[in-house]
Structures are given as C-alpha cells and as structure tokens.
Amino acid sequence: EAARKLGAPARIGWRAVGLLREGGRVCGVLAQGPDGKREELRAKVVVNASGPWIDPVARLAGLSIPLRLRKGTHLVYDKPLVPVGLLLAAVDRGRYVFVIPFAGGTLVGPTDLPHDGEIDTLRTDDSELEYLHASVRRYFKDFPKTWSRTTVGARPILGQSGSEKLLSREYQVFDHGTEGAEGLITLGGGKMSDFRLMAKDAVDLACQKLGKDAPCRTHCLTLAGGAA
C-alpha cells in the first residue's frame, strides 16, 4: 500500500516467468498474469524477494539458492481468547506454540514440518490442526475446538546441514552481480519478525547500485505509508 501511494505500479497475482537482459545485465522481468497475459516490466535493479519461491526465480538467471522449506500452520479464531501473547510447550514437548491476540481475534501456531513438495498447493492436514489444539488444551481445557479458519505457509530457510531444531533463521542478501547477473538481488531466509530489517538491507544494496544516497525511513512509516 505504501509503495502504491508513492507511485509504484503493482501486479497482484502475477508471477515472474523470465528475466530480461541487456548486455548481460538483468534489466527487468517477464511477468505473466492470472489470465495468461504477459508483460515486460523493466527496471534498473530487480529484487527477488519471493520467499519460498526465490530459488525458482533465481533459476531464471541460471542461478541456484537451495532452501530447506518448513511447513507452518496456524489456527485463526475470529474472537479474542487471551489477553496477552503466550509461549507454550507443545503437546509433544519438542517445541513451542504461540497463542497471540490480534485485533478482534487469536492466532495459534505454528507447526514446523519439513516440506519437499509443491509450494503453490500447500495445504494443512488434520494431524497438524489437532497437534496445535491439543498443545493449547494442555493449559486451557476449555479452549474452543471450532476455529474460524487456518493459514499455512512454507518458511524459506536457507539451505544448511544439521538438525532441524538447530536450523538458522538468519537471512542473507545476495548480490548476483558477482555471479554474472548484475542488476539482480535476492533476499532469502529470515522470519516475519525481521521483515523490516530485511527490507532495509535489500533496499540499501539496491540504492547503492542506483547511486542513491538516502537514509532508510522504514522505521518511520506504517505498512500503509503513514507516519509510525
């Protein structure tokens, strides 16, 4: 919303199907809309901030960014159930589950499972929902089992070896100019709680490439573009 207010065009529901090049530089994206229409979107710098899809987008430039995707499901209640945010040991004692109030509702989750399949068709399953509900019922015996809806996503954890419990949620900004794709930047890894810092670091690199010297203002603005 803030970007639109500042004059940035938006293409909701479109996907990158190719990268445009001129003289070896990445100079834009070939995008395809929900109706199959294609359009060339040109830019001096292209930022690949597509979350769990960063590797397929990077492959359009002949690059690879391995990920270890983790499936996370939440229960969403459209009513307030707790006065403050809670961190509870899950029913299997192996991890923790958040119970978080938001405006008029409550969020419970997430699960944390390996995911090797398609991202676009990711779905919750009954075992995940029961796991989350049982985890909260350990502490609140009357916690309602009728939730309003569920959400699910794939965490784009950067590829690494080791135990799943010890996987780093750190993020990285990749400058693909060092790999023969000048003009392309990828933002990978991280968590939702880091999104403003992640955006700052990616935009700082983009500004450097554009020769723009301006202070970051993300901490001064809301997502809608108003004063924070």
Side-chain angles (χ1 to χ4, degrees), residues 7 94 104 126-127 162:
D126 291 342
S127 63

Side-chain angles (χ1 to χ4, degrees), residues 133-154:
H133 185 253
S135 295
V136 182
R137 286 285 295 270
R138 289 186 62 215
Y139 304 87
F140 303 98
K141 300 302 182 184
D142 297 326
F143 206 85
K145 193 170 184 177
T146 304
W147 42 84
S148 305
R149 59 190 182 280
T150 63
T151 65
V152 63

Side-chain angles (χ1 to χ4, degrees), residues 69-197:
L69 297 179
R70 304 289 297 177
K71 181 183 178 184
T73 289
H74 287 87
L75 308 178
V76 184
Y77 294 83
D78 286 339
K79 55 185 176 181
L81 296 173
V82 292
V84 297
L86 303 172
L87 179 63
L88 309 177
V91 66
D92 61 2
R93 313 297 204 275
R95 57 185 311 276
Y96 293 92
V97 169
F98 290 94
V99 183
I100 302 174
F102 63 90
T106 307
L107 190 69
V108 177
T111 55
D112 186 20
L113 301 169
H115 180 71
D116 299 320
E118 289 293 327
I119 307 172
D120 294 344
T121 57
L122 195 62
R123 296 288 185 273
T124 61
D125 60 52
D126 291 342
S127 63
E128 290 181 90
L129 306 182
E130 180 55 37
Y131 172 85
L132 292 175
H133 185 253
S135 295
V136 182
R137 286 285 295 270
R138 289 186 62 215
Y139 304 87
F140 303 98
K141 300 302 182 184
D142 297 326
F143 206 85
K145 193 170 184 177
T146 304
W147 42 84
S148 305
R149 59 190 182 280
T150 63
T151 65
V152 63
R155 295 186 189 87
I157 295 174
L158 294 174
Q160 54 199 275
S161 60
S163 167
E164 294 172 351
K165 290 184 179 180
L166 300 178
L167 292 178
S168 171
R169 268 61 171 177
E170 292 295 321
Y171 66 89
Q172 185 173 346
V173 180
F174 299 86
D175 180 357
H176 296 301
T178 62
E179 302 172 274
E182 184 57 58
L184 177 63
I185 295 169
T186 292
L187 179 57
K191 299 179 67 175
M192 182 63 73
S193 56
D194 300 333
F195 76 95
R196 282 188 181 270
L197 182 59

Side-chain angles (χ1 to χ4, degrees), residues 35-59:
D35 60 356
K37 175 185 175 182
R38 293 192 172 192
E39 182 178 351
E40 291 188 353
L41 306 175
R42 295 187 171 272
K44 294 180 180 179
V45 173
V46 174
V47 179
N48 172 17
S50 53
W53 292 273
I54 59 169
D55 186 50
V57 173
R59 289 180 183 278

